[in-house]
Amino acid sequence: HELGVVMHLTATQALRDVVTLKPQWLINSLSKVIRDGRIHVLEMDSIEKAGLRKDVTKLFQHALASRDLLEYWWGKKNIEFLLDLMRQALLLSDWEFGSEKLYLIPSLAPHGSGRERTLSGNIRIPENGSVGATCIFDFSSSYLPIGVFQRLVCICVSHSGRISGSEEPILYNKWSRIRFGKKNVIYLEERDASKILLTVAKEKSASSTFVAILSMLRKINQDVMSQGLTWDVKFEMKKTEIESNNGVSKQKRSNVRTELVSYKEAKMQNLKPWFGEVDFQRSNVSDRDVHSDVDISLFLRNLEN
C-alpha cells in the first residue's frame, strides 16, 4: 500500500485466483508454519482437541507438515493458494516418500550432523559422504544469505521425489543426503556460511548432476534473490603422489593431495568427471524456465529429461 504496488502471482491456477491486498495476512499465515517451536508458543490445548499433537511434533522435530495440520492453521479455503505460494517461493516441497500426504519445510530441518537417520526415523544409513567427486559453490566473494541452502535442498527433494527408485533423503539443517533415482546419491553441505559443497557418490553421474544443481541455483537466484547471488565454482581434484623405487614407479595411496581447480580451468582441461558427458550449452532447462513466476513443476519436469 505505501509503495503503491500490487503483486499478482500467476504461475499456477491457485495463485492466479487470489490477489492479496494485505501482506500482513500472508506473513501471519506463513509464520504459523515457519517458526521456532522452542520460542513461539503454540495453543496446544486447541491443537490437542483437534487431534493434531503428533502432527505438530512431526513438524518441529522432522520438518514434515501434514495436510490436516496446514488446513487447521490456514483453513480449507486458503490451503491451495498458500501451498502453491510456498512451493513457488521454494519454502516447501511435496514429500513423495511414503503413503501419508506430507510437505517438507526445509528451514525446520533438525540441527546437527548425525547423518545417520532419515527424517521419519525409519532407516539408518552410515555416513559415506567423503566418497565420490566434490565441487564447491563459493559465495565468499559476496555472501551466502540464510535460506539459500535450504531452498536448494527443497528443489533437490522435489526433483528426487519425481524420479523412480529414489529413497527417502536424510536431511539436516546444513547437510543432506539425497538420491536422484536408485543409483545417483548426492551429498549437499553448507560450510562456513559461505560455501555449498556438492559431492556425487558415483563419478559417472557427476556431470549431469552438476548441470542440475547449477540450474537450481540459477532458479533460486532469479526467483528469490533478484539476481543478487554471485558465486565461483571450484572442483576438487585428487592427486596421488608417485615415488620411484629402484627405478620402478610405485603409487603411494596413503598420500593423496587435493587441489582446487577453477571452473574456467576445469572446462578448458575437460576435467573428468565433471565435463565431457553433458553439453552445458544445451541444458533442457531453458532461460524461460528459470525466470520468476514460472511454475516450479515445469522447471522440475525439464530437469528430469
Side-chain angles (χ1 to χ4, degrees):
H1 293 283
E2 293 180 1
L3 296 176
V5 175
V6 175
M7 292 187 65
H8 183 207
L9 301 177
T10 59
T12 70
Q13 187 61 50
L15 294 175
R16 285 193 290 272
D17 287 345
V18 177
V19 176
T20 304
L21 299 178
K22 296 182 179 180
Q24 190 62 46
W25 174 80
L26 278 180
I27 295 171
N28 293 342
S29 298
L30 300 186
S31 64
K32 290 177 180 178
V33 180
I34 302 177
R35 60 196 296 171
D36 191 332
R38 298 166 300 179
I39 298 174
H40 301 104
V41 179
L42 294 171
E43 298 178 358
M44 290 307 301
D45 288 342
S46 59
I47 288 173
E48 286 189 12
K49 289 179 180 178
L52 296 172
R53 171 178 275 277
K54 289 183 179 180
D55 299 65
V56 169
T57 299
K58 182 176 289 186
L59 174 62
F60 292 113
Q61 289 188 2
H62 305 304
L64 295 173
S66 69
R67 187 177 180 92
D68 287 342
L69 182 61
L70 296 180
E71 282 190 0
Y72 170 79
W73 276 332
W74 292 343
K76 290 185 178 182
K77 179 181 178 181
N78 301 315
I79 188 167
E80 295 302 334
F81 167 74
L82 291 169
L83 281 173
D84 274 3
L85 179 67
M86 289 189 70
R87 287 189 189 101
Q88 198 66 18
L90 308 177
L91 297 172
L92 169 149
S93 62
D94 295 81
W95 187 255
E96 303 292 351
F97 310 94
S99 57
E100 185 181 0
K101 186 59 180 176
L102 297 170
Y103 305 92
L104 173 69
I105 315 293
S107 60
L108 298 181
H111 292 267
S113 57
R115 308 183 187 181
E116 75 283 357
R117 66 177 178 81
T118 60
L119 286 183
S120 63
N122 291 331
I123 56 177
R124 298 175 67 85
I125 304 175
E127 172 193 354
N128 70 344
S130 60
V131 177
T134 298
C135 74
I136 301 170
F137 298 92
D138 187 353
F139 298 80
S140 57
S141 61
S142 54
Y143 72 109
L144 177 59
I146 294 172
V148 169
F149 177 78
Q150 288 73 26
R151 283 181 163 95
L152 178 59
V153 169
C154 188
I155 303 178
C156 285
V157 170
S158 293
H159 182 48
S160 173
R162 298 168 70 99
I163 303 175
S164 176
S166 296
E167 296 178 356
E168 182 178 335
I170 304 173
L171 305 175
Y172 285 86
N173 190 255
K174 304 290 185 181
W175 185 94
S176 297
R177 178 190 187 273
I178 303 170
R179 283 184 180 272
F180 291 163
K182 187 175 181 179
K183 296 182 179 180
N184 186 9
V185 182
I186 73 163
Y187 301 84
L188 292 171
E189 179 179 0
E190 181 181 332
R191 185 176 294 179
D192 303 327
S194 62
K195 300 178 181 68
I196 293 177
L197 276 65
L198 165 67
T199 298
V200 184
K202 288 186 178 291
E203 292 191 352
K204 67 179 182 180
S205 300
S207 183
S208 59
T209 301
F210 174 72
V211 171
I213 297 298
L214 194 60
S215 296
M216 293 175 190
L217 284 172
R218 289 173 59 210
K219 181 69 171 169
I220 294 168
N221 198 18
Q222 175 67 40
D223 282 14
V224 182
M225 300 305 300
S226 301
Q227 297 285 22
L229 284 180
T230 58
W231 61 82
D232 297 313
V233 179
K234 301 172 184 177
F235 301 92
E236 285 191 358
M237 183 171 64
K238 294 181 174 62
K239 287 189 174 182
T240 304
E241 292 186 350
I242 300 176
E243 68 174 7
S244 179
N245 184 14
N246 294 327
V248 179
S249 294
K250 182 177 77 172
Q251 286 190 352
K252 294 177 63 178
R253 295 183 182 275
S254 60
N255 192 7
V256 178
R257 291 189 298 109
T258 299
E259 296 182 357
L260 293 180
V261 181
S262 71
Y263 177 88
K264 183 178 180 180
E265 291 177 2
K267 192 171 183 180
M268 289 178 59
Q269 297 174 19
N270 205 29
L271 183 67
K272 305 296 183 181
W274 300 103
F275 292 87
E277 300 298 326
V278 173
D279 185 348
F280 280 64
Q281 301 302 319
R282 297 180 61 189
S283 169
N284 286 319
V285 180
S286 68
D287 288 338
R288 181 184 179 280
D289 298 336
V290 174
H291 286 174
S292 60
D293 208 24
V294 169
D295 187 3
I296 185 65
S297 64
L298 173 61
F299 174 82
L300 292 168
R301 193 158 55 244
N302 285 329
L303 280 181
E304 297 177 50
N305 301 323

